[in-house]
Amino acid sequence: MIQLTHLQKLEAESIHIIREVVAECEKPVMMYSIGKDSAVMLHLAMKAFYPGKPPFPLLHVDTTWKFREMIEFRDQRARELGLDLIVHINEEGVKAGINPFDSGSRLHTDVMKTQGLKQALDKYGFDAAFGGARRDEEKSRAKERVFSLRSAEHRWDPKNQRPEPWRLFNTRKRPGESFRVFPISNWTESDVWSYIALEKIPVVPLYFAKSRPIVRRDGALIMRDDERMKLLPGERVENMMVRFRTLGCYPLTGAVESEAATLEAVIEEMRNSHSSERQGRIIDHDGSGSMEQKKQEGYF
Amino acid sequence: MDAIAVDRATGGETAPQTAVAPSIDGAQKSLLRFITCGSVDDGKSTLIGRMLHDSGVVFDDQMEALEKDSQKFGTQGDRIDFALLVDGLSAEREQGITIDVAYRYFSTPRRSFIVADTPGHEQYTRNMATGASTAELAIILIDARKGVLPQTRRHSFIVSMLGVREVVIAINKMDLVGYSQQVYDKIVADYRELARRLNFGNIVFIPISALEGDNVTKPSAAMPWYRGTSLIAHLETVDIKPSTAADGAFTFPVQWVNRPNLDFRGYAGWMTRGRIAQGDAIVALPSGRRSTVARIVTYDGDLSEAVAGQALTLTLADEIDVSRGDVIVSANYSGKPRSLIPARILWMSERPLADGSTYLLKLGTAMAQAKISVSRAVDIHTYEEGEAQRLNMNEIGIAAITLDRPIVASEYGEDRELGGFILIDRWTNETMALGLVDSSLSPKVAPDTIAQVVPAGLAGRLTTFLAADLPLRRQTRGGIFQRVLLGYAPLAVIIGGIIGALSGSLLLGLGVAVANVVACALLSLWMQDSGMPVDESRLRDEANVDGDGI
Ligand SMILES: Nc1nc2c(ncn2[C@@H]2O[C@H](COP(=O)(O)OP(=O)(O)O)[C@@H](O)[C@H]2O)c(=O)[nH]1
Ligand SMILES: [Mg+2]
């Protein structure tokens, strides 16, 4: 008797979800944010439609402040896999000069990411967007459905969510409404890394420790990825051995000091770690319940 | 895929790769999904919070936040309130209750766990059922001070109905009854009595204190009289037997037909039960066409065999027509496609179910229109059945479901995934109910109702038309229309028939058409008047699908 392991069960469940969207929705898209969760989700999509290719494009909402290595990696992955990649930038935000330094993390994220995402979904008329969010990331995500219905205005109503017994998803919606679908809802950070190792999934090298140009600011280690980051009085750039546990806009993503330069070392380090991955994400700390509020506003 | 972190083109580093597989965390671990149930304040959140904490998945920064929150919202004075680790949405934090199913994750060196934390109130029966639907084990909490309560009976019933066979009765707050063995023994005896009427396979009793940690992750020094294992030790080692069906067959609902090019036609889906091998004889249902499994295709290479739970793509030796909603089964599958399904249903919507209403039914990957005839309801406290023509939210009924076409449905007791279904309101798209196929029930089928007298497509077109053109509808009253409609439709058909018989077939057609128009007009007015939302574009779609010819 074949006994399925924990990861095999998670994999099968995710593939099932991805296929269900393709079978039932008209115009799906996969949000590709370049991080490890996206890497796993994309790999699962490759598996779901093998020997064919995933029958939907990838969408990256580019805030123009991502690490350069992320952008290189993104373009290379799309090329290697032969997939369509749509890159959307909120040009209005760019014109208005929104940036994480002067506008603050909240406004920047809202305009460049949240609004940008809505623009892209409306522009192309996607009716289902896969996202790589996991329920273990944050308390309010623990209750997120796999198929999360959004109004035509992209709002999420936590009181009006459909029950999802077994593997049965109610995929009906009215014109204008759309779904956010989270195929790796049930994965943990540890599952994601184990799977990346097991399946040899390529990830952005920023996850591995290396000497990088770091500025200490407000207690966080910020990598100065380009000249747009102006040094404040008293600040200087130091080369430090660091890596990142999550990836986002470089000015908003704190590095951790680490010697873990290989996947095994990263997994080992994570197992002994005492802080959560979201700690490095500056946008989460706007107060308790803040992620919940962002979701109601349409943030992924 | 060759190396990890391939980034050669850009000069990025490549993480050195070694034979990591055998040591990868999770690569060998098994998975256990369980649900926790108990009434408000029995200690569910505290118990889960403690399990998360003791298994080391709570990070320092979360611990810090927890300490702060404990001061602010905690119920344990200055002590850490583990419940706050798991109580998520701000609304419920303020109210101090859990209002939805929340999923939690933790693992020990032996197993990974997915916990469905469900609310205890009666008004959340539906949430508990959802959590139980995928659970392999249930932890039912009992407050040692209170013993077996009506809620305990209710939770046990739902868990049993949803097919959970492995149960742990965690008798909590033992610290508040002086860790007394008498109290424990009495509750065990009471529960055994209750459980006689349920369908559990194995029941394990564990006296615990979620707050103090007794018998949660380690044995309790305060209860030397208890010789069993701690809760975690039990969860780590309990053996979950897959549900088996007498026929030993496999079933594979087809999700999607994979046609990347002209040379490949595969059926993507997953095994809900059994074991499949290359060369096996299969039958595609409902068509009944036969073939054999040519290949079991996966991204990681073809498999020679596969088991329940795996997501696969099958190719068949013969070109037979199979599409989404069909089920590929082994030749020894004992079921057959059916359009009458006896079932238990749990009503989940605030709008009650009336006997004879129609909904969309989704089971596996199949979707059909379903008319629900409800004849009995089950009292989840006494487990007694009584007559019923209606189900309110959180009530459980026994129903006969008539489908507009035959689908493949297995017995829920043998296969949860091909025996469980949901009902969807086709106007609001709300998920109204979950249901479990059970052929041992013998519910009555209700006589035909309006929904069947009037073709849906006609209703749609007319509603659209009337919504725009008939100002009168606002003043009308629902009840009248229903009665008028029921009276008029057949009458109009008869009149049409008489005219037809007298004057030849052209007029007969006209007569029937007139009857339809009248009936539909009335139906749509009635629907709008009784507050049913009417979505025009949906109606247009439905009108097209039905391909009627007004
Ligand atoms: N003394 C004692 N109190 C407990 C125990 N477990 C939970 N509590 C307390 O009971 C109250 C309700 O607990 P909670 O976990 O929120 O219950 P839930 O409503 O089932 O999630 C809280 O004040 C807990 O601190 C226990 O084992 N012993
Ligand atoms: Mg609770």
Side-chain angles (χ1 to χ4, degrees):
Chain A
M1 182 74 192
I2 307 169
Q3 274 283 342
L4 299 183
T5 65
H6 168 57
L7 286 177
Q8 285 171 323
K9 283 187 183 170
L10 289 178
E11 179 190 74
E13 177 184 273
S14 302
I15 289 176
H16 174 266
I17 293 163
I18 295 171
R19 287 173 174 171
E20 201 65 7
V21 170
V22 164
E24 301 249 281
C25 295
E26 266 156 41
K27 203 172 174 196
V29 66
M30 181 166 277
M31 305 291 305
Y32 182 62
S33 69
I34 321 173
K36 61 185 190 310
D37 300 323
S38 284
V40 165
M41 184 166 66
L42 178 55
H43 186 72
L44 292 164
M46 294 301 291
K47 288 198 168 192
F49 304 102
Y50 181 84
K53 291 265 164 71
F56 45 75
L58 306 180
L59 170 66
H60 179 228
V61 179
D62 190 349
T63 62
T64 72
W65 289 92
K66 300 292 165 189
F67 292 90
R68 279 173 301 163
E69 276 179 276
M70 289 173 72
I71 302 300
E72 285 159 9
F73 181 86
R74 173 195 75 189
D75 295 343
Q76 192 195 333
R77 275 311 274 160
R79 239 185 353 258
E80 279 169 1
L81 299 175
L83 298 177
D84 268 355
L85 169 71
I86 298 171
V87 176
H88 180 82
I89 295 175
N90 182 352
E91 295 297 348
E92 287 165 34
V94 173
K95 264 192 228 126
I98 301 289
N99 73 75
F101 295 114
D102 308 316
S103 323
S105 63
R106 238 200 125 118
L107 185 67
H108 167 75
T109 307
D110 179 56
V111 173
M112 299 309 291
K113 200 165 165 180
T114 312
Q115 304 301 331
L117 170 62
K118 290 182 198 173
Q119 283 172 354
L121 296 180
D122 290 343
K123 176 173 168 191
Y124 297 97
F126 294 121
D127 66 342
F130 293 106
R134 309 185 321 265
R135 285 175 178 149
D136 84 321
E137 277 176 273
E138 213 266 345
K139 267 185 248 175
S140 82
R141 288 230 198 259
K143 300 173 184 198
E144 179 67 282
R145 298 295 194 266
V146 172
F147 277 68
S148 176
L149 185 67
R150 304 300 161 99
S151 68
E153 296 75 40
H154 299 283
R155 285 190 75 88
W156 179 72
D157 177 4
K159 285 189 203 67
N160 185 21
Q161 298 195 80
R162 297 168 178 176
E164 297 179 332
W166 304 291
R167 297 187 184 212
L168 283 176
F169 303 105
N170 174 354
T171 56
R172 307 250 309 174
K173 57 182 161 28
R174 292 158 188 256
E177 290 179 338
S178 61
F179 285 109
R180 305 287 184 276
V181 184
F182 305 106
I184 60 167
S185 283
N186 285 328
W187 297 55
T188 64
E189 186 188 12
S190 159
D191 296 331
V192 163
W193 280 117
S194 304
Y195 190 71
I196 286 171
L198 194 67
E199 297 282 314
K200 304 181 178 60
I201 301 170
V203 291
V204 186
L206 290 162
Y207 286 116
F208 305 109
K210 188 184 156 183
S211 176
R212 297 188 166 95
I214 296 296
V215 175
R216 292 175 193 267
R217 185 174 287 182
D218 301 332
L221 305 179
I222 304 296
M223 174 171 154
R224 190 171 186 235
D225 200 36
D226 56 37
E227 273 71 60
R228 289 180 296 173
M229 179 174 179
K230 302 278 180 280
L231 293 184
L232 301 177
E235 281 182 349
R236 62 192 180 84
V237 178
E238 302 165 63
N239 280 319
M240 293 172 69
M241 276 298 274
V242 294
R243 65 179 197 88
F244 295 87
R245 281 181 74 176
T246 62
L247 295 177
C249 296
Y250 83 79
L252 300 177
T253 310
V256 290
E257 290 194 75
S258 168
E259 299 289 326
T262 66
L263 195 50
E264 298 90 314
V266 165
I267 291 177
E268 186 56 31
E269 192 181 272
M270 192 197 50
R271 229 179 269 165
N272 303 325
S273 143
H274 295 288
S275 62
S276 71
E277 60 182 316
R278 285 201 159 249
Q279 197 182 26
R281 268 188 224 180
I282 292 163
I283 57 161
D284 279 359
H285 294 299
D286 302 340
S288 136
S290 68
M291 176 63 82
E292 190 189 341
Q293 194 180 338
K294 286 207 182 59
K295 276 172 57 180
Q296 291 188 20
E297 289 160 5
Y299 173 72
F300 228 78
Chain B
M1 227 152 279
D2 45 17
I4 296 156
V6 188
D7 206 6
R8 292 184 199 100
T10 58
E13 69 271 62
T14 299
Q17 195 198 317
T18 51
V20 283
S23 66
I24 293 171
D25 196 36
Q28 261 72 45
K29 276 186 200 179
S30 59
L31 174 66
L32 181 76
R33 289 177 191 253
F34 68 89
I35 178 178
T36 51
C37 1
S39 305
V40 194
D41 287 347
D42 281 351
K44 279 186 317 296
S45 299
T46 308
L47 176 63
I48 295 171
R50 166 148 309 265
M51 289 194 284
L52 298 183
H53 175 262
D54 288 7
S55 66
V57 299
V58 181
F59 296 114
D60 285 353
D61 52 321
Q62 291 170 328
M63 226 25 226
E64 242 171 71
L66 176 64
E67 278 163 27
K68 261 193 253 145
D69 286 358
S70 296
Q71 306 269 327
K72 216 155 121 198
F73 308 103
T75 60
Q76 289 299 323
D78 281 345
R79 295 176 64 184
I80 299 233
D81 189 344
F82 286 108
L84 294 176
L85 258 186
V86 299
D87 289 343
L89 298 183
S90 18
E92 59 196 81
R93 255 206 218 188
E94 277 142 32
Q95 294 166 22
I97 53 159
T98 311
I99 51 175
D100 206 331
V101 193
Y103 293 90
R104 316 285 169 195
Y105 308 85
F106 68 96
S107 64
T108 67
R110 304 173 86 152
R111 252 189 189 161
S112 287
F113 300 94
I114 300 181
V115 190
D117 178 14
T118 63
H121 269 309
E122 185 146 11
Q123 78 232 54
Y124 302 121
T125 296
R126 56 183 185 161
N127 305 65
M128 180 176 295
T130 302
S133 70
T134 51
E136 297 159 301
L137 176 146
I139 299 179
I140 298 175
L141 271 95
I142 296 179
D143 186 331
R145 296 170 304 175
K146 299 182 187 157
V148 173
L149 294 177
Q151 290 89 299
T152 318
R153 301 179 66 85
R154 179 161 51 81
H155 299 160
S156 302
F157 182 84
I158 296 159
V159 162
S160 166
M161 170 172 130
L162 269 295
V164 181
R165 297 285 160 265
E166 196 61 56
V167 182
V168 175
I169 305 300
I171 299 164
N172 190 30
K173 306 198 185 181
M174 288 300 292
D175 55 308
L176 297 180
V177 296
Y179 297 106
S180 153
Q181 184 176 6
Q182 275 92 334
V183 172
Y184 170 81
D185 286 344
K186 165 90 170 60
I187 294 173
V188 171
D190 288 352
Y191 193 84
R192 284 205 188 282
E193 182 59 33
L194 172 167
R196 289 205 331 223
R197 302 185 55 185
L198 297 171
N199 201 10
F200 292 140
N202 184 31
I203 307 174
V204 171
F205 296 88
I206 308 180
I208 64 167
S209 167
L211 189 69
E212 306 292 342
D214 296 86
N215 286 332
V216 178
T217 43
K218 34 187 192 308
S220 163
M223 292 178 277
W225 47 264
Y226 171 73
R227 299 217 179 73
T229 55
S230 71
L231 180 57
I232 285 283
H234 176 66
L235 296 177
E236 275 185 315
T237 52
V238 61
D239 185 23
I240 303 294
K241 290 166 200 73
S243 55
T244 49
D247 59 14
F250 65 74
T251 49
F252 181 92
V254 174
Q255 264 188 300
W256 189 70
V257 181
N258 191 357
R259 292 223 69 183
N261 55 59
L262 291 176
D263 303 325
F264 188 89
R265 184 187 187 86
Y267 304 104
W270 80 105
M271 299 275 293
T272 67
R273 65 162 153 124
R275 185 188 144 276
I276 196 171
Q278 216 179 351
D280 278 355
I282 64 99
V283 184
L285 294 176
S287 76
R289 292 200 181 82
R290 291 170 180 273
S291 184
T292 53
V293 177
R295 294 172 57 197
I296 304 175
V297 180
T298 77
Y299 177 93
D300 302 298
D302 282 10
L303 305 179
S304 53
E305 61 170 339
V307 295
Q310 284 183 282
L312 311 163
T313 299
L314 302 181
T315 66
L316 302 179
D318 310 276
E319 289 232 347
I320 60 174
D321 187 28
V322 182
S323 52
R324 177 175 168 86
D326 293 353
V327 185
I328 295 175
V329 303
S330 51
N332 58 340
Y333 179 63
S334 57
K336 47 180 183 294
R338 41 185 166 165
S339 49
L340 180 64
I341 295 177
R344 266 176 227 285
I345 53 180
L346 166 62
W347 200 250
M348 302 198 284
S349 169
E350 279 166 12
R351 283 186 293 135
L353 165 75
D355 185 27
S357 317
T358 59
Y359 293 96
L360 292 172
L361 174 143
K362 185 174 180 185
L363 185 152
T365 59
M367 187 88 116
Q369 278 195 51
K371 190 185 75 162
I372 322 296
S373 316
V374 56
S375 49
R376 281 177 283 156
V378 187
D379 183 318
I380 50 179
H381 295 108
T382 61
Y383 306 169
E384 303 298 336
E385 288 178 13
E387 295 275 309
Q389 260 72 54
R390 185 187 150 95
L391 288 180
N392 293 316
M393 186 160 80
N394 292 317
E395 289 184 343
I396 293 166
I398 291 167
I401 298 180
T402 322
L403 303 175
D404 65 342
R405 61 189 188 82
I407 64 167
V408 182
S410 296
E411 295 302 307
Y412 187 77
E414 298 182 339
D415 182 353
R416 288 197 208 181
E417 287 178 4
L418 219 51
F421 58 85
I422 52 175
L423 297 176
I424 300 168
D425 184 305
R426 50 205 297 241
W427 309 101
T428 63
N429 295 332
E430 187 187 351
T431 301
M432 306 299 282
L434 62 78
L436 321 170
V437 178
D438 184 349
S439 298
S440 69
L441 306 166
S442 50
K444 286 198 297 269
V445 183
D448 282 358
T449 47
I450 351 161
Q452 288 192 325
V453 176
V454 186
L458 285 176
R461 283 202 184 167
L462 271 146
T463 311
T464 314
F465 166 74
L466 290 169
D469 297 323
L470 219 74
L472 169 149
R473 69 195 163 90
R474 298 231 175 270
Q475 288 110 47
T476 53
R477 280 286 148 265
I480 304 172
F481 275 114
Q482 194 177 9
R483 255 172 277 135
V484 172
L485 172 64
L486 284 171
Y488 261 104
L491 193 66
V493 174
I494 293 165
I495 295 170
I498 294 167
I499 298 171
L502 295 173
S503 349
S505 60
L506 186 74
L507 274 174
L508 172 67
L510 200 67
V512 172
V514 166
N516 271 333
V517 168
V518 172
C520 292
L522 291 168
L523 175 66
S524 18
L525 286 173
W526 168 66
M527 282 190 329
Q528 293 197 339
D529 203 61
S530 55
M532 251 186 245
V534 177
D535 175 344
E536 296 188 16
S537 62
R538 169 119 276 143
L539 289 168
R540 249 175 274 125
D541 289 346
E542 307 247 353
N544 291 339
V545 168
D546 288 346
D548 57 272
I550 243 185

